[in-house]
Amino acid sequence: QVQLVESGGGFVQAGGSLRLSCAASANILSIGAMGWFRQAPGTQRALVAAITSSGVINYADSAKGRFTISRDNAKNTVYLEMNNLRPEDTAVYYCNARWGATAQAMGIPNPQRYGTWGQGTQVTVSS
């Protein structure tokens, strides 16, 4: 069972940037897809961005043009670069590893049912 450890969250003003990291305890090339999700209080956990082992990427509409997902296979780490942050981006951000998944499939409802999750990292954006 792979373990995922997220880092890089914090407090930032609107318009600022953060880079989240998700370090995996296993070879991420063996994992079909990895993704970043977020959950704000009172809302459902939702996909932000996903990337497959072959490099196919899927972004939520809210992330397009502002966020960039990438992976460093040598470090078994997936990143989420977030720019031009808005107060509505405030949430706990979770990393997910899902075997046999496509980038599109990472966006299906009830994602908590699938794959392995990290503990989450808080991102707070002030106005």
Side-chain angles (χ1 to χ4, degrees):
Q1 178 98 0
V2 66
Q3 292 182 326
L4 304 173
V5 179
E6 300 101 331
S7 61
F11 185 93
V12 65
Q13 290 188 332
S17 299
L18 285 173
R19 188 176 82 154
L20 307 183
S21 299
C22 172
S25 62
N27 183 357
I28 61 173
L29 282 173
S30 68
I31 300 171
M34 295 188 69
W36 286 97
F37 293 72
R38 68 187 184 187
Q39 188 169 19
T43 70
Q44 298 290 322
R45 192 172 299 186
L47 177 69
V48 176
I51 185 168
T52 68
S53 56
S54 59
V56 177
I57 291 174
N58 179 23
Y59 289 109
D61 287 343
S62 60
K64 290 177 181 176
R66 299 189 299 129
F67 296 180
T68 302
I69 190 170
S70 62
R71 57 194 293 155
D72 185 331
N73 295 327
K75 295 182 178 180
N76 291 319
T77 299
V78 176
Y79 303 99
L80 184 68
E81 184 78 33
M82 304 187 294
N83 297 313
N84 191 21
L85 283 161
R86 304 165 181 167
E88 53 264 39
D89 295 318
T90 296
V92 179
Y93 283 70
Y94 297 92
C95 181
N96 177 244
R98 206 174 299 181
W99 286 257
T102 65
Q104 282 300 118
M106 294 288 274
I108 61 176
N110 300 312
Q112 293 97 314
R113 298 180 180 180
Y114 308 105
T116 298
W117 293 88
Q119 82 287 352
T121 185
Q122 176 71 45
V123 171
T124 302
V125 184
S126 67
S127 58

Short mmCIF file of all heavy atoms in Angstrom, two decimals, residues 1-7 20-38 46-60 68-80 94-107 111 114-119:
data_model
loop_
_atom_site.label_atom_id
_atom_site.label_comp_id
_atom_site.label_asym_id
_atom_site.label_seq_id
_atom_site.Cartn_x
_atom_site.Cartn_y
_atom_site.Cartn_z
N GLN A 1 0.85 -1.18 0.00
CA GLN A 1 0.00 0.00 0.00
C GLN A 1 0.89 1.23 0.00
O GLN A 1 1.76 1.38 0.84
CB GLN A 1 -0.89 0.02 1.25
CG GLN A 1 -1.77 1.22 1.39
CD GLN A 1 -3.18 0.97 0.90
OE1 GLN A 1 -3.49 -0.12 0.47
NE2 GLN A 1 -4.02 1.97 0.98
N VAL A 2 0.69 2.11 -0.95
CA VAL A 2 1.49 3.32 -1.03
C VAL A 2 1.04 4.31 0.03
O VAL A 2 -0.14 4.35 0.40
CB VAL A 2 1.38 3.95 -2.43
CG1 VAL A 2 -0.02 4.45 -2.69
CG2 VAL A 2 2.41 5.03 -2.62
N GLN A 3 1.97 5.06 0.53
CA GLN A 3 1.65 6.17 1.45
C GLN A 3 1.93 7.48 0.74
O GLN A 3 2.93 7.59 0.01
CB GLN A 3 2.47 6.06 2.73
CG GLN A 3 2.09 4.85 3.59
CD GLN A 3 2.87 4.78 4.88
OE1 GLN A 3 4.03 5.16 4.93
NE2 GLN A 3 2.23 4.31 5.94
N LEU A 4 1.06 8.45 0.97
CA LEU A 4 1.18 9.75 0.33
C LEU A 4 1.31 10.82 1.40
O LEU A 4 0.53 10.83 2.36
CB LEU A 4 -0.05 10.04 -0.53
CG LEU A 4 -0.39 9.00 -1.59
CD1 LEU A 4 -1.73 9.32 -2.25
CD2 LEU A 4 0.71 8.91 -2.64
N VAL A 5 2.25 11.72 1.22
CA VAL A 5 2.45 12.80 2.18
C VAL A 5 2.44 14.12 1.42
O VAL A 5 3.30 14.38 0.58
CB VAL A 5 3.78 12.63 2.93
CG1 VAL A 5 3.98 13.80 3.90
CG2 VAL A 5 3.80 11.31 3.69
N GLU A 6 1.44 14.95 1.76
CA GLU A 6 1.32 16.26 1.13
C GLU A 6 2.06 17.31 1.94
O GLU A 6 2.17 17.19 3.17
CB GLU A 6 -0.15 16.69 1.00
CG GLU A 6 -1.04 15.78 0.19
CD GLU A 6 -1.89 14.88 1.05
OE1 GLU A 6 -1.44 14.55 2.16
OE2 GLU A 6 -3.00 14.51 0.63
N SER A 7 2.52 18.32 1.26
CA SER A 7 3.16 19.46 1.93
C SER A 7 3.02 20.68 1.03
O SER A 7 2.66 20.56 -0.14
CB SER A 7 4.63 19.17 2.24
OG SER A 7 5.36 18.94 1.04
N LEU A 20 2.19 22.88 -4.02
CA LEU A 20 1.95 21.71 -3.19
C LEU A 20 2.76 20.53 -3.73
O LEU A 20 2.94 20.39 -4.94
CB LEU A 20 0.47 21.34 -3.19
CG LEU A 20 -0.51 22.45 -2.81
CD1 LEU A 20 -1.94 21.89 -2.78
CD2 LEU A 20 -0.15 23.08 -1.48
N SER A 21 3.22 19.70 -2.80
CA SER A 21 3.95 18.49 -3.16
C SER A 21 3.27 17.28 -2.55
O SER A 21 2.75 17.35 -1.44
CB SER A 21 5.39 18.56 -2.65
OG SER A 21 6.08 19.65 -3.20
N CYS A 22 3.29 16.19 -3.29
CA CYS A 22 2.77 14.91 -2.81
C CYS A 22 3.85 13.86 -3.03
O CYS A 22 4.12 13.47 -4.17
CB CYS A 22 1.50 14.54 -3.55
SG CYS A 22 0.90 12.86 -3.19
N ALA A 23 4.46 13.44 -1.93
CA ALA A 23 5.53 12.44 -2.00
C ALA A 23 4.95 11.06 -1.76
O ALA A 23 4.27 10.83 -0.74
CB ALA A 23 6.61 12.76 -0.98
N ALA A 24 5.22 10.15 -2.69
CA ALA A 24 4.71 8.78 -2.59
C ALA A 24 5.81 7.84 -2.11
O ALA A 24 6.98 8.04 -2.43
CB ALA A 24 4.17 8.32 -3.94
N SER A 25 5.38 6.80 -1.39
CA SER A 25 6.35 5.83 -0.86
C SER A 25 6.65 4.72 -1.85
O SER A 25 7.41 3.82 -1.55
CB SER A 25 5.82 5.22 0.44
OG SER A 25 4.61 4.52 0.20
N ALA A 26 6.02 4.79 -3.04
CA ALA A 26 6.22 3.77 -4.05
C ALA A 26 6.50 4.44 -5.40
O ALA A 26 6.34 5.65 -5.55
CB ALA A 26 4.99 2.87 -4.15
N ASN A 27 6.89 3.62 -6.35
CA ASN A 27 7.17 4.10 -7.69
C ASN A 27 5.88 4.60 -8.35
O ASN A 27 4.99 3.81 -8.64
CB ASN A 27 7.79 2.96 -8.51
CG ASN A 27 8.20 3.39 -9.89
OD1 ASN A 27 7.96 4.53 -10.29
ND2 ASN A 27 8.79 2.49 -10.63
N ILE A 28 5.80 5.89 -8.59
CA ILE A 28 4.55 6.43 -9.12
C ILE A 28 4.31 6.04 -10.57
O ILE A 28 3.19 6.18 -11.07
CB ILE A 28 4.46 7.97 -8.95
CG1 ILE A 28 5.58 8.68 -9.71
CG2 ILE A 28 4.46 8.33 -7.47
CD1 ILE A 28 5.43 10.20 -9.71
N LEU A 29 5.33 5.55 -11.25
CA LEU A 29 5.11 5.06 -12.61
C LEU A 29 4.23 3.82 -12.62
O LEU A 29 3.62 3.50 -13.64
CB LEU A 29 6.46 4.76 -13.28
CG LEU A 29 7.23 5.97 -13.77
CD1 LEU A 29 8.61 5.56 -14.25
CD2 LEU A 29 6.47 6.69 -14.88
N SER A 30 4.12 3.15 -11.49
CA SER A 30 3.27 1.96 -11.40
C SER A 30 1.82 2.31 -11.09
O SER A 30 0.96 1.42 -11.07
CB SER A 30 3.81 1.01 -10.33
OG SER A 30 3.66 1.57 -9.04
N ILE A 31 1.57 3.58 -10.84
CA ILE A 31 0.23 4.05 -10.47
C ILE A 31 -0.42 4.67 -11.70
O ILE A 31 0.16 5.54 -12.33
CB ILE A 31 0.32 5.07 -9.32
CG1 ILE A 31 0.99 4.42 -8.10
CG2 ILE A 31 -1.07 5.59 -8.97
CD1 ILE A 31 1.31 5.40 -6.99
N GLY A 32 -1.64 4.25 -11.99
CA GLY A 32 -2.30 4.72 -13.20
C GLY A 32 -2.43 6.22 -13.27
O GLY A 32 -2.10 6.85 -14.27
N ALA A 33 -2.94 6.80 -12.19
CA ALA A 33 -3.15 8.24 -12.17
C ALA A 33 -2.99 8.77 -10.76
O ALA A 33 -3.30 8.08 -9.78
CB ALA A 33 -4.52 8.59 -12.70
N MET A 34 -2.52 9.99 -10.68
CA MET A 34 -2.45 10.68 -9.39
C MET A 34 -3.10 12.03 -9.56
O MET A 34 -3.06 12.63 -10.64
CB MET A 34 -1.00 10.82 -8.94
CG MET A 34 -0.35 9.48 -8.65
SD MET A 34 1.27 9.63 -7.89
CE MET A 34 0.82 10.26 -6.26
N GLY A 35 -3.73 12.46 -8.48
CA GLY A 35 -4.46 13.71 -8.60
C GLY A 35 -4.49 14.52 -7.33
O GLY A 35 -4.16 14.02 -6.24
N TRP A 36 -4.85 15.75 -7.50
CA TRP A 36 -5.09 16.67 -6.39
C TRP A 36 -6.58 16.97 -6.31
O TRP A 36 -7.20 17.28 -7.34
CB TRP A 36 -4.31 17.97 -6.58
CG TRP A 36 -2.85 17.84 -6.35
CD1 TRP A 36 -1.87 17.65 -7.28
CD2 TRP A 36 -2.19 17.87 -5.08
NE1 TRP A 36 -0.64 17.56 -6.67
CE2 TRP A 36 -0.81 17.70 -5.32
CE3 TRP A 36 -2.63 18.03 -3.76
CZ2 TRP A 36 0.12 17.69 -4.28
CZ3 TRP A 36 -1.70 18.02 -2.74
CH2 TRP A 36 -0.34 17.84 -3.01
N PHE A 37 -7.10 16.86 -5.12
CA PHE A 37 -8.50 17.16 -4.84
C PHE A 37 -8.54 18.21 -3.73
O PHE A 37 -7.57 18.40 -3.01
CB PHE A 37 -9.23 15.90 -4.36
CG PHE A 37 -9.38 14.85 -5.43
CD1 PHE A 37 -8.27 14.11 -5.84
CD2 PHE A 37 -10.60 14.60 -6.02
CE1 PHE A 37 -8.40 13.13 -6.83
CE2 PHE A 37 -10.74 13.62 -7.00
CZ PHE A 37 -9.63 12.89 -7.41
N ARG A 38 -9.69 18.85 -3.59
CA ARG A 38 -9.83 19.79 -2.49
C ARG A 38 -11.22 19.70 -1.91
O ARG A 38 -12.17 19.29 -2.57
CB ARG A 38 -9.53 21.21 -2.95
CG ARG A 38 -10.52 21.83 -3.93
CD ARG A 38 -10.01 23.17 -4.41
NE ARG A 38 -10.94 23.85 -5.28
CZ ARG A 38 -10.67 24.97 -5.92
NH1 ARG A 38 -9.47 25.55 -5.80
NH2 ARG A 38 -11.59 25.53 -6.70
N ALA A 46 -13.58 17.42 -4.37
CA ALA A 46 -13.66 17.56 -5.83
C ALA A 46 -12.27 17.57 -6.45
O ALA A 46 -11.31 18.05 -5.85
CB ALA A 46 -14.40 18.84 -6.20
N LEU A 47 -12.22 17.05 -7.66
CA LEU A 47 -10.96 17.03 -8.41
C LEU A 47 -10.50 18.44 -8.74
O LEU A 47 -11.30 19.28 -9.15
CB LEU A 47 -11.13 16.23 -9.69
CG LEU A 47 -9.92 16.17 -10.61
CD1 LEU A 47 -8.81 15.35 -10.00
CD2 LEU A 47 -10.33 15.62 -11.97
N VAL A 48 -9.21 18.67 -8.57
CA VAL A 48 -8.58 19.90 -9.02
C VAL A 48 -7.79 19.61 -10.30
O VAL A 48 -7.94 20.30 -11.31
CB VAL A 48 -7.65 20.47 -7.95
CG1 VAL A 48 -6.92 21.71 -8.47
CG2 VAL A 48 -8.43 20.79 -6.68
N ALA A 49 -6.94 18.59 -10.24
CA ALA A 49 -6.14 18.22 -11.40
C ALA A 49 -5.63 16.79 -11.23
O ALA A 49 -5.42 16.34 -10.11
CB ALA A 49 -4.94 19.16 -11.57
N ALA A 50 -5.47 16.11 -12.35
CA ALA A 50 -4.97 14.73 -12.33
C ALA A 50 -3.97 14.54 -13.45
O ALA A 50 -4.04 15.21 -14.49
CB ALA A 50 -6.11 13.74 -12.47
N ILE A 51 -3.04 13.61 -13.22
CA ILE A 51 -2.04 13.30 -14.23
C ILE A 51 -1.79 11.80 -14.22
O ILE A 51 -1.70 11.18 -13.16
CB ILE A 51 -0.73 14.09 -13.97
CG1 ILE A 51 0.28 13.87 -15.09
CG2 ILE A 51 -0.13 13.75 -12.61
CD1 ILE A 51 1.46 14.84 -15.03
N THR A 52 -1.71 11.22 -15.40
CA THR A 52 -1.48 9.78 -15.49
C THR A 52 0.01 9.49 -15.61
O THR A 52 0.83 10.38 -15.81
CB THR A 52 -2.20 9.19 -16.69
OG1 THR A 52 -1.57 9.67 -17.89
CG2 THR A 52 -3.68 9.54 -16.69
N SER A 53 0.33 8.21 -15.53
CA SER A 53 1.73 7.79 -15.66
C SER A 53 2.28 8.10 -17.05
O SER A 53 3.49 8.23 -17.21
CB SER A 53 1.86 6.29 -15.35
OG SER A 53 1.01 5.54 -16.21
N SER A 54 1.40 8.23 -18.03
CA SER A 54 1.84 8.57 -19.38
C SER A 54 1.80 10.06 -19.65
O SER A 54 2.12 10.50 -20.75
CB SER A 54 0.97 7.84 -20.41
OG SER A 54 -0.38 8.20 -20.25
N GLY A 55 1.39 10.84 -18.64
CA GLY A 55 1.43 12.29 -18.76
C GLY A 55 0.15 12.95 -19.23
O GLY A 55 0.14 14.17 -19.48
N VAL A 56 -0.93 12.20 -19.34
CA VAL A 56 -2.21 12.81 -19.70
C VAL A 56 -2.73 13.58 -18.49
O VAL A 56 -2.69 13.08 -17.36
CB VAL A 56 -3.23 11.74 -20.13
CG1 VAL A 56 -4.58 12.38 -20.43
CG2 VAL A 56 -2.71 10.98 -21.34
N ILE A 57 -3.24 14.78 -18.73
CA ILE A 57 -3.65 15.68 -17.65
C ILE A 57 -5.11 16.06 -17.81
O ILE A 57 -5.61 16.24 -18.92
CB ILE A 57 -2.76 16.94 -17.65
CG1 ILE A 57 -1.33 16.57 -17.21
CG2 ILE A 57 -3.33 18.01 -16.73
CD1 ILE A 57 -0.35 17.71 -17.30
N ASN A 58 -5.76 16.20 -16.66
CA ASN A 58 -7.15 16.65 -16.61
C ASN A 58 -7.25 17.72 -15.54
O ASN A 58 -6.85 17.49 -14.39
CB ASN A 58 -8.06 15.46 -16.27
CG ASN A 58 -9.52 15.86 -16.16
OD1 ASN A 58 -9.95 16.86 -16.72
ND2 ASN A 58 -10.30 15.07 -15.45
N TYR A 59 -7.78 18.87 -15.90
CA TYR A 59 -7.98 19.97 -14.95
C TYR A 59 -9.46 20.24 -14.76
O TYR A 59 -10.23 20.21 -15.72
CB TYR A 59 -7.33 21.26 -15.45
CG TYR A 59 -5.83 21.29 -15.44
CD1 TYR A 59 -5.10 21.25 -16.63
CD2 TYR A 59 -5.13 21.38 -14.24
CE1 TYR A 59 -3.72 21.29 -16.63
CE2 TYR A 59 -3.74 21.42 -14.23
CZ TYR A 59 -3.05 21.37 -15.43
OH TYR A 59 -1.68 21.41 -15.42
N ALA A 60 -9.82 20.57 -13.53
CA ALA A 60 -11.14 21.12 -13.30
C ALA A 60 -11.19 22.50 -13.93
O ALA A 60 -10.16 23.18 -14.08
CB ALA A 60 -11.41 21.22 -11.80
N THR A 68 -1.06 24.24 -12.33
CA THR A 68 -0.32 23.31 -13.17
C THR A 68 0.06 22.09 -12.35
O THR A 68 0.70 22.22 -11.30
CB THR A 68 0.96 23.97 -13.73
OG1 THR A 68 0.61 25.14 -14.47
CG2 THR A 68 1.69 22.99 -14.65
N ILE A 69 -0.32 20.92 -12.83
CA ILE A 69 0.07 19.67 -12.19
C ILE A 69 1.26 19.10 -12.95
O ILE A 69 1.34 19.19 -14.18
CB ILE A 69 -1.10 18.67 -12.14
CG1 ILE A 69 -0.74 17.47 -11.25
CG2 ILE A 69 -1.52 18.23 -13.53
CD1 ILE A 69 -1.93 16.55 -10.96
N SER A 70 2.19 18.53 -12.20
CA SER A 70 3.37 17.93 -12.82
C SER A 70 3.85 16.79 -11.93
O SER A 70 3.39 16.64 -10.79
CB SER A 70 4.48 18.96 -13.02
OG SER A 70 4.91 19.48 -11.78
N ARG A 71 4.77 16.01 -12.47
CA ARG A 71 5.29 14.90 -11.69
C ARG A 71 6.79 14.76 -11.93
O ARG A 71 7.27 15.05 -13.02
CB ARG A 71 4.57 13.61 -12.06
CG ARG A 71 4.64 13.24 -13.54
CD ARG A 71 3.62 12.16 -13.87
NE ARG A 71 3.96 10.90 -13.23
CZ ARG A 71 3.06 9.97 -12.93
NH1 ARG A 71 1.79 10.15 -13.21
NH2 ARG A 71 3.45 8.84 -12.36
N ASP A 72 7.49 14.33 -10.90
CA ASP A 72 8.91 14.00 -10.98
C ASP A 72 9.02 12.52 -10.65
O ASP A 72 8.98 12.15 -9.47
CB ASP A 72 9.71 14.87 -10.02
CG ASP A 72 11.21 14.66 -10.17
OD1 ASP A 72 11.63 13.55 -10.55
OD2 ASP A 72 11.97 15.60 -9.88
N ASN A 73 9.13 11.71 -11.67
CA ASN A 73 9.13 10.26 -11.45
C ASN A 73 10.34 9.81 -10.64
O ASN A 73 10.25 8.86 -9.85
CB ASN A 73 9.09 9.53 -12.79
CG ASN A 73 7.80 9.79 -13.54
OD1 ASN A 73 6.74 9.95 -12.92
ND2 ASN A 73 7.87 9.85 -14.86
N ALA A 74 11.46 10.49 -10.81
CA ALA A 74 12.66 10.11 -10.07
C ALA A 74 12.49 10.33 -8.57
O ALA A 74 13.07 9.61 -7.76
CB ALA A 74 13.86 10.88 -10.59
N LYS A 75 11.68 11.32 -8.22
CA LYS A 75 11.45 11.63 -6.81
C LYS A 75 10.13 11.05 -6.31
O LYS A 75 9.78 11.26 -5.14
CB LYS A 75 11.45 13.14 -6.60
CG LYS A 75 12.79 13.80 -6.87
CD LYS A 75 12.73 15.29 -6.60
CE LYS A 75 14.09 15.95 -6.83
NZ LYS A 75 14.07 17.41 -6.58
N ASN A 76 9.40 10.37 -7.18
CA ASN A 76 8.08 9.83 -6.80
C ASN A 76 7.20 10.91 -6.18
O ASN A 76 6.54 10.69 -5.15
CB ASN A 76 8.23 8.64 -5.84
CG ASN A 76 8.83 7.44 -6.54
OD1 ASN A 76 8.49 7.12 -7.68
ND2 ASN A 76 9.76 6.77 -5.87
N THR A 77 7.18 12.05 -6.82
CA THR A 77 6.47 13.21 -6.28
C THR A 77 5.63 13.86 -7.37
O THR A 77 6.06 13.97 -8.52
CB THR A 77 7.47 14.22 -5.70
OG1 THR A 77 8.21 13.60 -4.64
CG2 THR A 77 6.74 15.44 -5.14
N VAL A 78 4.44 14.27 -6.97
CA VAL A 78 3.54 15.02 -7.84
C VAL A 78 3.36 16.41 -7.24
O VAL A 78 3.24 16.55 -6.02
CB VAL A 78 2.17 14.31 -7.98
CG1 VAL A 78 1.21 15.15 -8.80
CG2 VAL A 78 2.36 12.94 -8.62
N TYR A 79 3.34 17.40 -8.11
CA TYR A 79 3.25 18.79 -7.67
C TYR A 79 1.98 19.44 -8.19
O TYR A 79 1.43 19.05 -9.22
CB TYR A 79 4.46 19.58 -8.18
CG TYR A 79 5.79 19.03 -7.76
CD1 TYR A 79 6.54 18.24 -8.63
CD2 TYR A 79 6.31 19.30 -6.49
CE1 TYR A 79 7.77 17.71 -8.24
CE2 TYR A 79 7.54 18.78 -6.10
CZ TYR A 79 8.25 17.99 -6.98
OH TYR A 79 9.46 17.48 -6.60
N LEU A 80 1.54 20.45 -7.46
CA LEU A 80 0.47 21.31 -7.95
C LEU A 80 0.92 22.75 -7.74
O LEU A 80 0.99 23.22 -6.60
CB LEU A 80 -0.85 21.06 -7.21
CG LEU A 80 -2.04 21.86 -7.74
CD1 LEU A 80 -2.41 21.37 -9.14
CD2 LEU A 80 -3.23 21.75 -6.81
N TYR A 94 -5.97 17.46 -1.01
CA TYR A 94 -5.59 16.07 -0.81
C TYR A 94 -4.96 15.49 -2.07
O TYR A 94 -5.41 15.78 -3.19
CB TYR A 94 -6.81 15.21 -0.47
CG TYR A 94 -7.50 15.57 0.81
CD1 TYR A 94 -8.56 16.48 0.83
CD2 TYR A 94 -7.13 14.98 2.02
CE1 TYR A 94 -9.21 16.80 2.01
CE2 TYR A 94 -7.78 15.30 3.20
CZ TYR A 94 -8.82 16.20 3.19
OH TYR A 94 -9.47 16.52 4.36
N CYS A 95 -3.99 14.62 -1.86
CA CYS A 95 -3.38 13.87 -2.96
C CYS A 95 -4.01 12.48 -3.00
O CYS A 95 -4.29 11.88 -1.95
CB CYS A 95 -1.88 13.77 -2.71
SG CYS A 95 -0.96 12.90 -3.99
N ASN A 96 -4.22 11.98 -4.20
CA ASN A 96 -4.85 10.68 -4.40
C ASN A 96 -4.07 9.87 -5.43
O ASN A 96 -3.64 10.42 -6.45
CB ASN A 96 -6.29 10.88 -4.86
CG ASN A 96 -7.02 9.60 -5.17
OD1 ASN A 96 -7.42 9.34 -6.30
ND2 ASN A 96 -7.23 8.78 -4.16
N ALA A 97 -3.88 8.61 -5.13
CA ALA A 97 -3.25 7.67 -6.07
C ALA A 97 -4.26 6.61 -6.43
O ALA A 97 -4.85 6.00 -5.54
CB ALA A 97 -2.01 7.04 -5.43
N ARG A 98 -4.43 6.39 -7.73
CA ARG A 98 -5.48 5.47 -8.15
C ARG A 98 -4.96 4.59 -9.29
O ARG A 98 -4.62 5.08 -10.37
CB ARG A 98 -6.70 6.27 -8.61
CG ARG A 98 -8.00 5.54 -8.50
CD ARG A 98 -9.17 6.43 -8.84
NE ARG A 98 -9.29 7.59 -7.95
CZ ARG A 98 -10.26 8.49 -8.08
NH1 ARG A 98 -11.15 8.37 -9.04
NH2 ARG A 98 -10.31 9.52 -7.26
N TRP A 99 -4.91 3.28 -9.00
CA TRP A 99 -4.40 2.35 -9.98
C TRP A 99 -5.43 2.09 -11.07
O TRP A 99 -6.63 1.99 -10.80
CB TRP A 99 -4.02 1.04 -9.29
CG TRP A 99 -2.77 1.15 -8.50
CD1 TRP A 99 -1.53 0.69 -8.85
CD2 TRP A 99 -2.59 1.78 -7.22
NE1 TRP A 99 -0.60 0.98 -7.87
CE2 TRP A 99 -1.22 1.66 -6.87
CE3 TRP A 99 -3.46 2.43 -6.35
CZ2 TRP A 99 -0.70 2.16 -5.68
CZ3 TRP A 99 -2.94 2.94 -5.15
CH2 TRP A 99 -1.58 2.81 -4.83
N GLY A 100 -4.96 2.00 -12.28
CA GLY A 100 -5.83 1.64 -13.38
C GLY A 100 -6.77 2.75 -13.82
O GLY A 100 -7.70 2.49 -14.58
N ALA A 101 -6.54 3.96 -13.35
CA ALA A 101 -7.46 5.06 -13.68
C ALA A 101 -6.93 5.89 -14.83
O ALA A 101 -5.72 5.99 -15.06
CB ALA A 101 -7.67 5.94 -12.46
N THR A 102 -7.85 6.50 -15.54
CA THR A 102 -7.49 7.51 -16.54
C THR A 102 -7.61 8.89 -15.90
O THR A 102 -8.19 9.04 -14.83
CB THR A 102 -8.42 7.43 -17.75
OG1 THR A 102 -9.75 7.79 -17.31
CG2 THR A 102 -8.47 6.03 -18.34
N ALA A 103 -7.09 9.87 -16.58
CA ALA A 103 -7.18 11.23 -16.05
C ALA A 103 -8.64 11.68 -15.97
O ALA A 103 -9.03 12.34 -15.00
CB ALA A 103 -6.38 12.18 -16.94
N GLN A 104 -9.44 11.31 -16.93
CA GLN A 104 -10.85 11.68 -16.91
C GLN A 104 -11.59 10.97 -15.77
O GLN A 104 -12.44 11.56 -15.11
CB GLN A 104 -11.52 11.32 -18.24
CG GLN A 104 -11.23 12.30 -19.36
CD GLN A 104 -11.69 13.71 -19.05
OE1 GLN A 104 -10.90 14.63 -18.97
NE2 GLN A 104 -12.98 13.88 -18.86
N ALA A 105 -11.24 9.73 -15.53
CA ALA A 105 -11.92 8.94 -14.50
C ALA A 105 -11.66 9.50 -13.10
O ALA A 105 -12.44 9.25 -12.18
CB ALA A 105 -11.47 7.50 -14.58
N MET A 106 -10.60 10.25 -12.94
CA MET A 106 -10.33 10.83 -11.63
C MET A 106 -11.40 11.82 -11.23
O MET A 106 -11.51 12.19 -10.06
CB MET A 106 -8.96 11.51 -11.63
CG MET A 106 -7.80 10.56 -11.83
SD MET A 106 -7.51 9.54 -10.37
CE MET A 106 -6.45 10.64 -9.42
N GLY A 107 -12.21 12.26 -12.17
CA GLY A 107 -13.24 13.25 -11.87
C GLY A 107 -14.60 12.67 -11.54
O GLY A 107 -15.57 13.43 -11.39
N PRO A 111 -15.15 10.61 -4.87
CA PRO A 111 -13.77 10.15 -5.05
C PRO A 111 -13.17 9.48 -3.82
O PRO A 111 -12.23 8.69 -3.95
CB PRO A 111 -13.01 11.44 -5.37
CG PRO A 111 -13.83 12.52 -4.77
CD PRO A 111 -15.25 12.08 -4.93
N TYR A 114 -12.15 5.74 -3.77
CA TYR A 114 -11.19 5.16 -4.70
C TYR A 114 -9.76 5.50 -4.36
O TYR A 114 -9.43 6.65 -4.03
CB TYR A 114 -11.50 5.65 -6.12
CG TYR A 114 -12.94 5.43 -6.52
CD1 TYR A 114 -13.83 6.49 -6.57
CD2 TYR A 114 -13.40 4.15 -6.84
CE1 TYR A 114 -15.16 6.29 -6.92
CE2 TYR A 114 -14.73 3.95 -7.18
CZ TYR A 114 -15.60 5.02 -7.23
OH TYR A 114 -16.90 4.81 -7.57
N GLY A 115 -8.91 4.51 -4.44
CA GLY A 115 -7.48 4.72 -4.32
C GLY A 115 -7.02 5.01 -2.90
O GLY A 115 -7.70 4.72 -1.92
N THR A 116 -5.84 5.58 -2.83
CA THR A 116 -5.19 5.91 -1.56
C THR A 116 -5.09 7.42 -1.43
O THR A 116 -4.79 8.11 -2.41
CB THR A 116 -3.78 5.27 -1.53
OG1 THR A 116 -3.91 3.85 -1.60
CG2 THR A 116 -3.05 5.65 -0.24
N TRP A 117 -5.28 7.90 -0.20
CA TRP A 117 -5.29 9.34 0.06
C TRP A 117 -4.20 9.74 1.04
O TRP A 117 -3.84 8.98 1.95
CB TRP A 117 -6.64 9.74 0.63
CG TRP A 117 -7.75 9.59 -0.34
CD1 TRP A 117 -8.50 8.47 -0.56
CD2 TRP A 117 -8.22 10.58 -1.26
NE1 TRP A 117 -9.41 8.70 -1.57
CE2 TRP A 117 -9.27 9.99 -2.01
CE3 TRP A 117 -7.88 11.90 -1.54
CZ2 TRP A 117 -9.97 10.67 -3.00
CZ3 TRP A 117 -8.56 12.58 -2.52
CH2 TRP A 117 -9.59 11.97 -3.24
N GLY A 118 -3.72 10.95 0.86
CA GLY A 118 -2.85 11.55 1.86
C GLY A 118 -3.68 12.19 2.95
O GLY A 118 -4.91 12.14 2.93
N GLN A 119 -2.99 12.82 3.90
CA GLN A 119 -3.67 13.39 5.06
C GLN A 119 -4.22 14.78 4.78
O GLN A 119 -5.02 15.30 5.56
CB GLN A 119 -2.70 13.44 6.25
CG GLN A 119 -1.75 14.63 6.27
CD GLN A 119 -0.64 14.55 5.24
OE1 GLN A 119 -0.46 13.52 4.58
NE2 GLN A 119 0.12 15.63 5.09
#
